């Protein structure tokens, strides 16, 4: 009854939240796209915000500078790269002032909304006081945020180490697991992504993201993928592979297991039901600790819970987080038990920028916004509606092989043959471009690059969800 009441009230709050921050959904900003004949294109929801005039370099100049001065490894979406110069809540604007619905959220990073006033004001207020001091001096922002953060975690997860990114957080978590257990071997999942540094690249299990450098001490278990996996949705059958890995690939003792609650880069893959409880039990019997990588699925994104692992009914020994924790501010964290945290006192551990006042002020503001604006409930309401509509779209278009995910962390996998599940890579790229031309931005993932990653800011509305699906339907109907 409580959930029904909360969800029902959110139907009214969708408009209220935008109006609170000075944006009305009753006054439309008419762009070139908006003026298209309504029978031809779906109509973007109105949003009364005018971006500032842009007087920066042209797209061509930016591309030229990227090629000359930045890493050749950088890549961009779309045949014609998009130059994003401003953002407000769930929308972004290009240099011409054209508005786009952001259904990617900077790779599941913008949690509260672009330039959310509460986050912006908290950062500015802290910047006027002091931007950086190092943790060698006292400053209340880091301890205040740590206290607020652990209040959202279960069990004995009470000690926080702040970092600058998810890669750093996972590197630290893996090192702590090895120090605490005295073992080196770690189990992770195929199709996972945990970062691009030494240890995390070893834990990552997609060749697309791995360089040919030494990566030792990690064993990759069969991925419990309900759509493509060999055992379908039978989590316990997948879990038996972890037992085999420990028995035949290690000394019988391991440092731990690291896994995403929902695989993000891997294509929004939900783990098969029953998998995590069985694996956590197996790993702990082998002396290891369990690490939950919540870099993408944390901070209310899944709607049903604040953390993705809670949907599996488990409590990890270490939790890593980043992305949504700062709404775009570089910030990450590792949260663990006092006992495990004690291993770092054996030597000196230090992170120059981890926990600096500006970033922790932003993180604390994010927590306040999530709770005060009931963004978890909104993620459940809008995400459930969006998933239902995407599932109906699957029934209409053979190109869609699977719709999956929770809350506002959803994936749509495209296949050219549903029986063979042949990845539709070319069609996925074409659809992304078509959506962009109609004002919708989505991400792309999965090992084959054939999955739409839909991870918008948590202020996404029901109207936004409908517009997204209508645009997808329109684009697919013309293929």
């Amino acid at each position: 009854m409580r959930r029904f009441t909360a969800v029902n009230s959110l139907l009214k709050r969708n408009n209220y939240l935008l109006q609170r921050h000075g944006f009305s959904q009753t006054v439309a900003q008419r762009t070139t796209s908006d003026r298209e004949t309504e029978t031809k294109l779906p109509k973007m929801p109105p949003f009364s915000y005018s971006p500032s005039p842009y007087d920066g370099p042209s797209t061509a100049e930016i591309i030229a500078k990227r090629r000359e001065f930045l890493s050749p490894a950088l890549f961009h979406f779309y045949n014609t790269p998009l130059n994003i110069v401003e953002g407000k809540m769930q929308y972004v604007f290009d240099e011409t002032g054209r508005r786009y619905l952001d259904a990617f959220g900077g790779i599941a990073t913008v949690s509260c909304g672009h330039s959310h006033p509460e986050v912006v004001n908290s950062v500015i207020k802290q910047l006027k006081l002091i931007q950086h001091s190092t943790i060698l001096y006292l400053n209340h922002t880091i301890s205040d945020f740590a206290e607020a953060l652990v209040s959202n975690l279960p069990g004995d997860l009470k000690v926080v180490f702040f970092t600058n990114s998810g890669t750093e957080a996972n590197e630290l978590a893996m090192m702590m697991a090895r120090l605490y257990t005295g073992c080196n071997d770690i189990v992770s999942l195929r199709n996972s992504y945990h970062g691009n540094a030494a240890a995390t690249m070893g834990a990552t299990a997609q060749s697309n993201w791995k360089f040919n450098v030494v990566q030792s001490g990690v064993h990759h278990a069969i991925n419990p993928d309900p759509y493509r996996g060999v055992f379908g949705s039978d989590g316990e059958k997948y879990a038996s592979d972890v037992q085999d890995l420990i028995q035949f690939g290690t000394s019988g003792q391991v440092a731990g297991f690291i896994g995403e609650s929902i695989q993000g880069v891997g294509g929004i893959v939900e783990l098969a039901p029953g998998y995590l409880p069985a694996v956590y039990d197996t790993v702990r019997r082998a002396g290891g600790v369990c690490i939950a990588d919540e870099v993408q699925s944390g901070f209310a994104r899944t709607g049903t819970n604040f953390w993705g692992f809670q949907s599996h009914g488990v409590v990890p020994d270490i939790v890593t987080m980043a992305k949504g924790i700062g709404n775009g501010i570089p910030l990450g964290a590792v949260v663990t038990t006092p006992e495990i945290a004690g291993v770092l006192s054996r030597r000196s551990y230090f992170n120059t920028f981890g926990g600096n006042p500006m970033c922790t002020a932003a993180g604390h503001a994010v927590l306040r916004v999530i709770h005060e604006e009931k963004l978890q409930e909104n993620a459940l309401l809008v995400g459930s509606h969006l998933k239902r509509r995407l599932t109906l779209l699957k029934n209409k278009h053979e190109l869609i092989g699977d719709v999956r995910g929770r809350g506002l962390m959803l994936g749509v996998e495209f296949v050219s043959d549903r029986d063979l599940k042949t990845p539709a890579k070319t069609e996925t790229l074409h659809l992304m471009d078509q959506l962009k031309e109609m004002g919708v931005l989505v991400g792309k993932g999965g090992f084959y690059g054939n999955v739409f990653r839909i991870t918008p800011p948590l202020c996404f509305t029901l109207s936004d969800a409908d517009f997204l699906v209508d645009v997808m339907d329109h684009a697919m109907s013309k293929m």
Side-chain angles (χ1 to χ4, degrees), residues 320-382:
T320 61
M321 57 197 74
K323 293 190 182 293
I325 190 176
N327 199 51
I329 293 290
L331 180 62
V334 177
V335 184
T336 188
T337 66
E339 184 178 1
I340 295 175
V343 299
L344 291 187
S345 62
R346 298 174 188 172
R347 295 290 190 275
S348 296
Y349 172 78
F350 186 78
N351 189 314
T352 300
F353 296 107
N356 80 80
M358 182 190 73
C359 291
T360 49
H364 203 168
V366 167
L367 282 182
R368 290 195 299 270
V369 171
I370 289 174
H371 290 300
E372 292 174 5
E373 300 189 358
K374 300 186 182 303
L375 294 185
Q376 180 179 326
E377 291 89 336
N378 191 66
L380 176 61
L381 171 71
V382 178

Side-chain angles (χ1 to χ4, degrees), residues 23 47 49 51-52 84-94 99-100 102 110 113-117 120:
F23 315 129
F47 189 69
Y49 176 80
S52 302
I84 297 296
V85 301
E86 194 168 340
K88 282 293 179 186
M89 304 307 283
Q90 68 271 41
Y91 295 102
V92 293
F93 301 83
D94 67 13
R99 176 165 58 104
Y100 297 84
D102 183 7
V110 181
H114 291 282
S115 300
H116 190 289
V120 170

Side-chain angles (χ1 to χ4, degrees), residues 66 70-76:
R66 278 171 63 117
L70 296 179
S71 166
L74 292 182
F75 59 91
H76 54 71

Side-chain angles (χ1 to χ4, degrees), residues 197-217:
T200 50
M201 189 179 293
T204 293
Q206 294 185 57
S207 58
N208 305 340
W209 302 98
K210 293 168 77 73
F211 288 97
N212 188 20
V213 296
V214 175
Q215 300 167 42
S216 62

Side-chain angles (χ1 to χ4, degrees), residues 34-357:
D34 291 330
R35 296 189 193 101
E36 295 285 344
T37 304
E38 293 184 7
T39 56
K40 291 184 178 180
L41 292 176
K43 184 178 179 182
M44 184 181 291
F47 189 69
S48 67
Y49 176 80
S50 297
S52 302
Y54 178 71
D55 58 1
S58 66
T59 297
E61 290 174 298
I62 295 172
I63 291 174
K65 286 185 178 181
R66 278 171 63 117
R67 289 173 177 165
E68 183 175 0
F69 301 114
L70 296 179
S71 166
L74 292 182
F75 59 91
H76 54 71
F77 282 159
Y78 308 117
N79 293 326
T80 303
L82 192 58
N83 180 19
I84 297 296
V85 301
E86 194 168 340
K88 282 293 179 186
M89 304 307 283
Q90 68 271 41
Y91 295 102
V92 293
F93 301 83
D94 67 13
E95 74 276 18
T96 70
R98 183 181 178 186
R99 176 165 58 104
Y100 297 84
L101 178 64
D102 183 7
F104 195 29
I107 315 179
T109 298
V110 181
S111 48
C112 303
H114 291 282
S115 300
H116 190 289
E118 176 72 15
V119 179
V120 170
N121 292 337
S122 296
V123 169
I124 291 174
K125 179 180 177 181
Q126 184 58 51
L127 279 172
K128 289 181 178 179
L129 295 173
I130 186 167
Q131 179 177 349
H132 180 73
S133 59
T134 93
I135 56 173
L136 298 175
Y137 304 116
L138 299 181
N139 188 288
H140 70 91
T141 57
I142 182 171
S143 52
D144 288 349
F145 179 40
E147 179 184 31
L149 187 57
V150 300
S151 71
N152 290 277
L153 285 151
D156 204 26
L157 294 164
K158 302 294 185 186
V159 182
V160 185
F161 296 87
F162 287 112
T163 67
N164 304 288
S165 69
T167 292
E168 278 191 3
N170 284 330
E171 286 276 328
L172 177 57
M174 292 173 68
M175 182 178 74
M176 292 172 72
R178 285 167 166 158
L179 289 172
Y180 178 71
T181 62
C183 294
N184 186 59
D185 291 300
I186 285 178
V187 178
S188 78
L189 291 173
R190 298 176 192 178
N191 197 55
S192 63
Y193 181 88
H194 297 289
N196 55 12
T200 50
M201 189 179 293
T204 293
Q206 294 185 57
S207 58
N208 305 340
W209 302 98
K210 293 168 77 73
F211 288 97
N212 188 20
V213 296
V214 175
Q215 300 167 42
S216 62
V218 180
H219 306 265
H220 300 107
I222 295 174
N223 192 35
D225 181 347
Y227 181 62
R228 290 187 174 272
V230 292
F231 301 124
S233 297
D234 193 331
E236 292 190 2
K237 282 188 178 179
Y238 290 109
S240 66
D241 182 55
V242 174
Q243 180 65 51
D244 288 346
L245 281 177
I246 293 173
Q247 287 181 332
F248 299 104
T250 76
S251 66
Q253 298 287 298
V254 296
F257 167 86
I258 183 169
E260 304 161 88
S261 304
I262 298 178
Q263 293 176 336
V265 174
I268 316 296
V269 176
E270 287 192 272
L271 309 186
Y275 179 78
L276 277 188
V279 166
Y280 273 32
D281 181 62
T282 296
V283 169
R284 285 168 174 157
R285 281 190 281 109
V289 300
C290 299
I291 304 169
D293 181 340
E294 292 285 330
V295 170
Q296 294 197 37
S297 58
F299 291 88
R301 179 159 292 282
T302 62
T304 49
N305 294 285
F306 201 85
W307 307 104
F309 65 78
Q310 292 172 310
S311 299
H312 295 271
V314 297
V315 177
D317 304 295
I318 304 174
V319 181
T320 61
M321 57 197 74
K323 293 190 182 293
I325 190 176
N327 199 51
I329 293 290
L331 180 62
V334 177
V335 184
T336 188
T337 66
E339 184 178 1
I340 295 175
V343 299
L344 291 187
S345 62
R346 298 174 188 172
R347 295 290 190 275
S348 296
Y349 172 78
F350 186 78
N351 189 314
T352 300
F353 296 107
N356 80 80

